[in-house]
Amino acid sequence: MKRALITGINGQDGSYLAELLLTLGYEVHGIVRREAIEDASHRLVNILHLIDKLKLHVGAVDNHLSIYKIVANVRPDECYHLAASSFVSYTFDDEASVLSNNFTATHALLASVKELSPHCRVYFAGSSEMFGNARFSPQNESTPFNPRSVYGISKLAAFHLARNYREHHKLFVAAGILYNHESPRRGYQFVTRKISTTVAKIHLGLADRLELGNIDALRDWGYAPDYVVAMHAMLQQEKPEDYVIATGVLHSVRDFLSEAFSVVGLDYEAYIHTNLDHFRPGEVVSLCGDSSKARHTLGWQPTKSFKQMVKEMVLTDIEHLERNQ
Ligand code: GDD
């Protein structure tokens, strides 16, 4: 039986990945913060349905000793490094913690694996934000990086570190350069979940407006459960490489709004209020991914359309709210 260790197991991607690996017969270990264990009904909500099948370890991913002890204890065959500060629009005050969470944590994990489990295969979660203000569109694995946010810079630094461990220490480290991916488990601060949950509230008479920033912003939005399939496939290859994972289709926030409100038979224009605080000074213009390599080498492809995904998110939020009313 293969043993997998997942950082960020209670997040959207971690929870779908844990489900996938359990289905494939893995022993699945995850790292969670002590606060999360103490407030399990909220912070572990994405994995509560799996909790009896998982082996959870309390630790802080940016603390080398903590990670070292967990890797020593688990001795994983595969390690998926998903934990990160993942909200792009943080303020100046958050810069140090974003850099520390995203870079130091990657170092702690790679260094521990190198010392203790050098045969362990590692997945690193890169991001389209590393391309930032990309010079070419769509972007593929050869497109030059040009990050526009501290988040993008932190991910790019960690990505280079991961490559360095692959090239100099001969670790099997594969990196996914993932574009936006959403689901009913998406965090509430991201625009898609903010929209789906507010549409659900409006439908149930619990809200009457939705404040947003730039609704003409464009994103390449995929379906999160599809993206964890790609993560796993990357670690089953003969050689560790980098892969762009994306749908290759751009939609605006306005498109998302229109689809989401149409699920409940409403016109979004009647509910939207612009809030300038949600505009981003360093907004990336049009990140659109070319995932030909993943499609060809991994046999990967998206399974759900944008429209189907939006509908699932809105209907799930309605169901959650109705259950908790
Ligand atoms: N969050 C948010 N809130 N975004 C808004 C709002 C709002 O009220 N109004 C408009 N937007 C626009 C943002 O300006 C951005 O252009 C777009 O909606 C998407 O924003 P987010 O959902 O916050 O995602 P993101 O693109 O910044 O980052 C996500 O995708 C990256 C690429 O995969 C995150 O998941 C990152 O961690 C990830 O790396």
Side-chain angles (χ1 to χ4, degrees), residues 82-224:
L82 311 183
S85 291
S86 60
F87 192 46
V88 175
S89 184
Y90 277 114
T91 63
F92 180 69
D93 293 346
D94 299 305
E95 283 187 4
S97 72
V98 171
L99 290 167
S100 159
N101 285 341
N102 297 354
F103 185 74
T104 312
T106 306
H107 183 249
L109 191 77
L110 290 169
S112 301
V113 168
K114 172 183 166 293
E115 286 301 300
L116 299 163
S117 274
H119 300 296
C120 172
R121 296 182 164 206
V122 180
Y123 169 80
F124 168 73
S127 162
S128 57
E129 283 287 318
M130 301 187 319
F131 291 125
N133 199 10
R135 272 166 240 152
F136 307 101
S137 193
Q139 300 82 40
N140 65 21
E141 294 78 6
S142 311
T143 305
F145 297 114
N146 190 20
R148 297 263 280 167
S149 58
V150 168
Y151 167 82
I153 293 166
S154 71
K155 278 286 180 181
L156 183 56
F159 173 81
H160 283 305
L161 187 72
R163 273 188 166 175
N164 189 265
Y165 268 69
R166 176 161 83 206
E167 286 161 15
H168 293 269
H169 300 303
K170 305 296 174 212
L171 278 198
F172 188 113
V173 189
I177 305 175
L178 270 52
Y179 284 63
N180 298 50
H181 43 289
E182 320 295 311
S183 76
R185 297 186 196 165
R186 189 53 148 149
Y188 291 100
Q189 72 272 45
F190 298 100
V191 76
T192 57
R193 188 73 193 281
K194 183 173 171 182
I195 295 171
S196 68
T197 192
T198 310
V199 168
K201 284 183 185 163
I202 291 172
H203 172 68
L204 297 172
L206 302 171
D208 57 9
R209 58 190 272 133
L210 172 53
E211 282 192 12
L212 290 171
N214 179 11
I215 65 170
D216 291 313
L218 296 165
R219 285 292 184 277
D220 178 333
W221 273 298
Y223 184 54

Side-chain angles (χ1 to χ4, degrees), residues 65-86:
L65 184 58
S66 169
I67 294 302
Y68 188 90
K69 283 183 176 168
I70 293 170
V71 173
N73 179 3
V74 176
R75 304 272 170 176
D77 301 298
E78 293 177 10
C79 187
Y80 296 85
H81 181 41
L82 311 183
S85 291
S86 60

